[in-house]
Amino acid sequence: QVQLVESGGGLVQAGGSLRLSCAASGRTFSRDTMGWFRQAPGKEREFVATISRSGVFTNYADSVKGRFTISRDNAKNTVYLQMNSLKPEDTAVYYCAATQSGISTYGSSYNYWGQGTQVTVSS
């Protein structure tokens, strides 16, 4: 059983930055591929970013490339999402997810999910 807890969400003006954190417990964190997804009101959940066990390989949604950076610190059992140049369309609940498989852009590939943290970007 894997437990994931997100933090760092909040309210920010367009053009600002936020850093989300996801702390993992319950198993060996270094064996898990990690991902970030988001869901806006009235819309389906969408892929944001993913990172391999080693942290060497990453993948991003086209909508966030060049603005968001995913990273991990296996010694701290934590994955991060640094979000810069935020836009109103980034407003959503952001979820951290884990899988023992390789990196994937599909939510169905992930076995464990956090509770989510709200990110609101004002115009």
Side-chain angles (χ1 to χ4, degrees), residues 12-17 83-88 121-122:
V12 65
Q13 289 187 301
S17 299
M83 305 185 294
N84 298 327
S85 301
L86 284 162
K87 305 174 181 179
V121 184
S122 62

Side-chain angles (χ1 to χ4, degrees), residues 65-115:
K65 285 182 179 177
R67 300 189 298 120
F68 291 11
T69 302
I70 188 171
S71 62
R72 67 191 297 160
D73 186 339
N74 287 346
K76 296 181 179 180
N77 287 359
T78 302
V79 63
Y80 305 94
L81 185 68
Q82 178 66 47
M83 305 185 294
N84 298 327
S85 301
L86 284 162
K87 305 174 181 179
E89 52 262 45
D90 294 318
T91 295
V93 176
Y94 283 70
Y95 297 93
C96 175
T99 179
Q100 291 182 282
S101 301
I103 59 173
S104 173
T105 64
Y106 299 99
S108 60
S109 297
Y110 294 81
N111 305 109
Y112 301 97
W113 296 81
Q115 83 289 347

Side-chain angles (χ1 to χ4, degrees), residues 39-73:
Q39 186 168 24
K43 297 183 178 180
E44 295 192 335
R45 181 182 60 196
E46 66 175 349
F47 166 75
V48 176
T50 185
I51 187 167
S52 66
R53 298 178 182 89
S54 66
V56 172
F57 304 102
T58 59
N59 195 14
Y60 298 90
D62 288 341
S63 60
V64 306
K65 285 182 179 177
R67 300 189 298 120
F68 291 11
T69 302
I70 188 171
S71 62
R72 67 191 297 160
D73 186 339

